[in-house]
C-alpha cells in the first residue's frame, strides 16, 4: 500500500508551485485563443509559430525551437500541418546546406494578417482584467522566468558536452 501525503502538502504545492500555476494559466489561455482562432482553422500555437516566422530573416529550425522553448521534434511536428496547408515552407540555407530555414508563405502571411485583429481583440479583453501595472509586472515576471529557463537549458546542454 502506498503512503499518502497529508492534504496540507497537496495544498502547499497547489498554492506555492510556480510550475503548476503557470501550466494551469497557460492551458486556460491556450484554450481561450484556440476558440478565438477556430474560424481561421488556426491554433494559438500555430499563430505564435507563424508570428515568429514573420521576421526579416528566416530562422533556422534550431533558433525557432529555442525562441519558442520547444524541442526540435515537437516543432517539426507542428510545422508539418502548416506546410501541408501551404502556410510555411522549409528550404535549405543557401550558405550552410546542413541547416534548414523556415519561411512564411504568402498564404501564411495573409492568414496571419487575418488572425492579428482577433489576437488584438482577445488580448485587449484579457488585459482589461488587470490594471496597467499588474499586466506589466506579469509580463516582466514571465519574461524573467523564460529567460532564466533559457539560460538553464543552455547550461545543461553545455554540461552534457563537457
Amino acid at each position: 500500500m502506498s503512503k499518502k501525503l497529508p492534504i496540507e502538502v497537496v495544498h502547499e504545492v497547489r498554492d506555492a508551485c510556480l510550475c503548476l500555476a503557470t501550466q494551469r494559466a497557460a492551458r486556460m489561455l491556450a484554450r481561450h485563443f484556440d476558440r478565438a482562432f477556430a474560424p481561421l482553422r488556426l491554433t494559438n500555437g500555430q499563430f505564435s509559430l507563424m508570428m515568429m516566422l514573420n521576421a526579416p530573416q528566416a530562422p533556422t529550425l534550431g533558433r525557432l525551437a529555442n525562441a519558442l522553448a520547444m524541442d526540435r521534434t515537437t516543432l517539426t511536428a507542428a510545422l508539418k500541418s502548416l506546410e501541408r496547408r501551404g502556410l510555411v515552407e522549409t528550404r535549405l540555407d543557401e550558405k550552410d546546406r546542413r541547416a534548414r530555414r523556415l519561411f512564411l508563405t504568402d498564404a501564411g502571411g495573409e492568414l496571419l494578417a487575418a488572425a492579428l485583429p482577433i489576437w488584438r481583440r482577445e488580448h485587449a479583453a484579457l488585459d482589461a482584467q488587470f490594471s496597467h501595472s499588474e499586466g506589466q509586472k506579469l509580463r516582466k515576471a514571465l519574461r524573467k522566468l523564460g529567460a532564466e529557463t533559457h539560460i538553464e537549458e543552455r547550461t545543461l546542454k553545455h554540461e552534457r558536452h563537457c
Side-chain angles (χ1 to χ4, degrees), residues 129-143:
Q129 297 178 33
F130 299 100
S131 70
H132 179 71
S133 66
E134 286 175 326
Q136 292 302 91
K137 285 178 184 176
L138 178 58
R139 285 178 183 86
K140 183 177 180 180
L142 290 171
R143 280 191 298 269

Side-chain angles (χ1 to χ4, degrees), residues 89-121:
E89 63 181 41
T90 304
R91 298 183 215 146
L92 289 176
D93 186 298
E94 292 176 5
K95 295 178 183 161
D96 180 357
R97 304 301 279 172
R98 296 168 298 170
R100 295 185 317 174
R101 294 213 175 258
L102 304 162
F103 294 85
L104 198 58
T105 64
D106 289 343
E110 289 173 16
L111 182 62
L112 193 58
L116 186 59
I118 295 169
W119 178 87
R120 284 184 173 146
R121 180 190 71 223

Side-chain angles (χ1 to χ4, degrees), residues 10-110:
V10 174
H11 293 165
E12 173 191 359
V13 171
R14 178 199 65 198
D15 297 341
C17 184
L18 290 172
C19 188
L20 177 61
T22 304
Q23 287 172 336
R24 186 171 191 277
R27 284 188 205 98
M28 292 184 79
L29 285 168
R31 281 194 298 268
H32 178 90
F33 279 95
D34 283 347
R35 282 190 300 269
F37 290 136
L40 300 178
R41 296 183 341 156
L42 194 64
T43 67
N44 77 86
Q46 291 170 331
F47 173 82
S48 298
L49 194 159
M50 290 171 62
M51 189 57 72
M52 297 299 288
L53 294 180
N54 191 51
Q57 183 176 358
T60 62
L61 187 67
R63 282 194 188 264
L64 184 60
N66 285 339
L68 293 170
M70 295 174 78
D71 62 77
R72 291 168 67 109
T73 305
T74 303
L75 177 57
T76 299
L79 285 166
K80 286 187 185 203
S81 66
L82 295 173
E83 287 178 313
R84 279 193 300 269
R85 287 179 63 189
L87 304 172
V88 171
E89 63 181 41
T90 304
R91 298 183 215 146
L92 289 176
D93 186 298
E94 292 176 5
K95 295 178 183 161
D96 180 357
R97 304 301 279 172
R98 296 168 298 170
R100 295 185 317 174
R101 294 213 175 258
L102 304 162
F103 294 85
L104 198 58
T105 64
D106 289 343
E110 289 173 16

